[in-house]
């Protein structure tokens, strides 16, 4: 059964994935790593085939009038495909997260208890245009002993299909059954609804994309969800912030890559600091081409600023726009973040350790920064090697999710007839 | 505002709980432990008041014709209330699960990264008749720095209200704000629906009760759920099982406390073993008063057995009934468990280590036993000190959930101006 034929039901695919997951869970680390290398090599050998499929997506995208940023995320090149392959080889180098004995102890009656990490089983990945997720998520899933159901955005359909076909050809020569990687080509609602509710076959859903995609999954899924990353990130510049440091961090967090989830969206500035450093701040923002949307007080400092409304505080710009909120205390800053933050990454700049401590203790987010840029909330930057997404929820995994987030545990008890 | 007044909205209660959660998160371990001791003492001092309220529930229960087991779970006594208090004192002795640095490292640029455990925030506990959950869950929530919203079964309404009133009086003399413990007295659908969907105020829902309660929460909640424990537990008696050991484990798992989730429901027996040991097995089952529901082959051995149907394989009996399935291999046993198991506790009896290994590797459940009774899946028995429930899901916490299951993590980054 070719798993990417249009008429294969999503349920049949999930069942096949579950069977395959059992087989992978028994493979050695070496066998899994070998498979990742073979997929990497096969992707490199088939670049022209993948690029040909990508052309079709780009053509359709042009006809539909997608914007430049969207087209850029969709577009592949020989270099990008080689990067995908290199990513798989990096994942092969990472420590196997399964089979680790997290703790073990013996009860008074002699029963040995071991808490051991095991794969989750079947992962459902739901994502938007970026075809790199097709490869990255597959690599992380297989390395951690899981099967994966891939449901990518329809705008990248041809590219994703070609990539999965190539990965299947590669898997045919490895110990990992190709059924471990399932691509859901159907774009109808029923297929999505099935994916959301097949608790008996799918162990977790991971949505990666914009807020509306993530909300659709969270609100409709009965399968457990690992919620990832809308980042409405804030930087609080305290009255005791060192000027150069504050400006460097602000510029870096806002302008380094404005479209990513760990980019800065709102600067919360202490009024006294603003009053003292307005000229330097205004010059810096102007030089960087940053558009300010400010509250009433901020408007009195920034002549070109736009008055901020509820939308400005609540949403990500993902552009060179910046909301500016003025406050008179760290508590007021914390309240604003509590109201509008998305529990992703929040930063404070201050020379006062006590103020920093209050901020770090009371702000509820996955990553908190004292005198550093929010841009470090990233599996690669933090040294996790690779990430399947950034969790903004509190259960299971929070912050950048590396391979261990794709495992669960089993308690294994060995006895010689113990009863209670 | 008295938080148990009938007209207080659930949303107002959740908001108050969230505020209180912040305050508890800043308390020291000693301050939290002191509060637990004060609650314990106050409960003991108010036994007659609680028993008086319990009388009302028992009276109503009698009028409604609840069965004896149900009435037993509902009934309180001086001893039971003293046990609740003792439970709180035990929780006070447990290690504080928050504020632990799970790992820390420094990036090449000097940025210090710490991964620290913190409270989840606000826990929503939804449970059935047992009033002990009102005290137990409160103790575990407060010790781990969380606030709690309690929604108990309507049949225990008076008892739960009295217990919460007493706990509030106790909290008035402690550092923990009484708003940290909220009792939802309203039994209308709207209140429940609010509880299921207030993602902005509630961090996790924990249902404890029968399958229909748990399914209602899982299917309707958008707040993340920690699913707990329906246990359709199996014991596989392999062809190489030692007879005495197998019979001891079977009897213990089935009869020690048939109504609990880690009790045995189905024995899967290798045909050769059954053929060799039928007399001893039949005598044992008869002596213990166990009623067999068997497949066709089993029926030929057990003259008094009832033919098992789909219901017998799929559901918990929670009584002295036992389903008996006969198989010819460990693989067949594993397939049966995969089809009907609830991923709670599964056991194998065999002298063959390789067979045991296959079983432990391939069966997907929170707890797996080789030559021991399923009855050990319990926070107390495993040495966790106390448990908030037994998780049968794979995310966040699996198996018995002690205090650490009520925490999440924060990544705290300290720098001196690092940018990316």
């Amino acid at each position: 059964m070719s798993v990417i034929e249009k008429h294969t039901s999503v349920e049949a695919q999930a069942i096949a994935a579950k069977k395959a997951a059992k087989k992978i869970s028994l493979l050695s680390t070496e066998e899994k790593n070998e498979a990742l290398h073979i997929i990497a090599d096969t992707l490199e050998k088939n670049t022209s085939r993948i690029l040909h499929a990508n052309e079709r997506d780009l053509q359709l995208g042009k006809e539909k009038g997608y914007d430049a940023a969207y087209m850029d995320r969709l577009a592949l090149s020989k270099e990008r495909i080689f990067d995908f392959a290199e990513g798989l080889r990096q994942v092969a180098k990472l420590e196997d997260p399964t089979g680790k004995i997290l703790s073990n102890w013996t009860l008074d009656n002699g029963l040995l208890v071991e808490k051991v990490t095991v794969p989750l089983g079947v992962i459902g990945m739901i994502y938007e245009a970026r075809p790199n997720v097709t490869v990255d998520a597959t690599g992380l899933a297989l390395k951690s002993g899981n099967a994966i159901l891939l449901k990518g955005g329809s705008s990248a359909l041809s590219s994703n299909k070609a990539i999965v076909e190539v990965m299947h050809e590669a898997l045919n020569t490895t110990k990992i059954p190709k059924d471990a990687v399932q691509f859901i080509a159907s774009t109808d609602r029923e297929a999505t609804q099935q994916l959301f509710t097949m608790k008996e076959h799918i162990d977790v859903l991971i949505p990666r994309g914009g807020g509306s995609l993530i909300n659709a999954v969270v609100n409709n899924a009965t399968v457990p969800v690992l919620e990832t990353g809308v980042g409405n990130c804030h930087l609080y510049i305290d009255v005791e912030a060192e000027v150069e440091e504050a400006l460097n961090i602000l510029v870096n967090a806002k302008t380094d890559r404005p479209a990513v989830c760990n980019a800065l969206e709102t600067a919360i500035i202490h009024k006294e600091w603003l009053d003292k450093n307005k000229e330097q701040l205004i010059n810096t923002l102007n030089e960087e081409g940053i558009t300010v949307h400010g509250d009433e007080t901020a408007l009195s400092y920034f002549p070109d600023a736009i008055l901020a409304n509820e939308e400005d505080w609540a949403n990500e710009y993902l552009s060179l726009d910046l909301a500016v909120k003025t406050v008179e205390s760290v508590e007021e800053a914390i309240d604003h973040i509590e109201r509008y933050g998305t529990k992703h990454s929040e930063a404070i700049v201050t020379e006062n350790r006590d103020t920093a401590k209050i901020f770090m203790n009371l702000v509820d987010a996955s990553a908190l920064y004292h005198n550093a840029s929010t841009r470090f909330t990233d599996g690669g930057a933090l040294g996790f090697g690779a990430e399947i997404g950034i969790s903004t929820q509190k259960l299971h995994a929070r912050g950048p999710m590396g391979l261990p987030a794709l495992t669960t545990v089993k308690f294994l008890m060995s006895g010689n007839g113990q009863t209670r």
Side-chain angles (χ1 to χ4, degrees), chain A residues 205 264 361 370:
Chain A
L205 291 177
L264 178 65
N361 278 338
H370 176 207

Side-chain angles (χ1 to χ4, degrees), chain A residues 1 3 10-24 121-124 145-150 177-183 201-203:
Chain A
M1 174 179 76
V3 290
V10 176
E11 191 179 10
Q13 289 186 266
I15 291 169
K18 194 174 175 185
K19 269 195 192 157
K22 270 209 170 154
K23 286 183 191 151
I24 316 176
V122 177
I123 295 166
N146 294 288
I148 190 161
L149 294 173
L150 297 159
K178 74 172 189 181
D179 274 353
V181 181
Q182 303 277 346
F183 181 69
H201 306 309
I202 305 177
D203 293 290

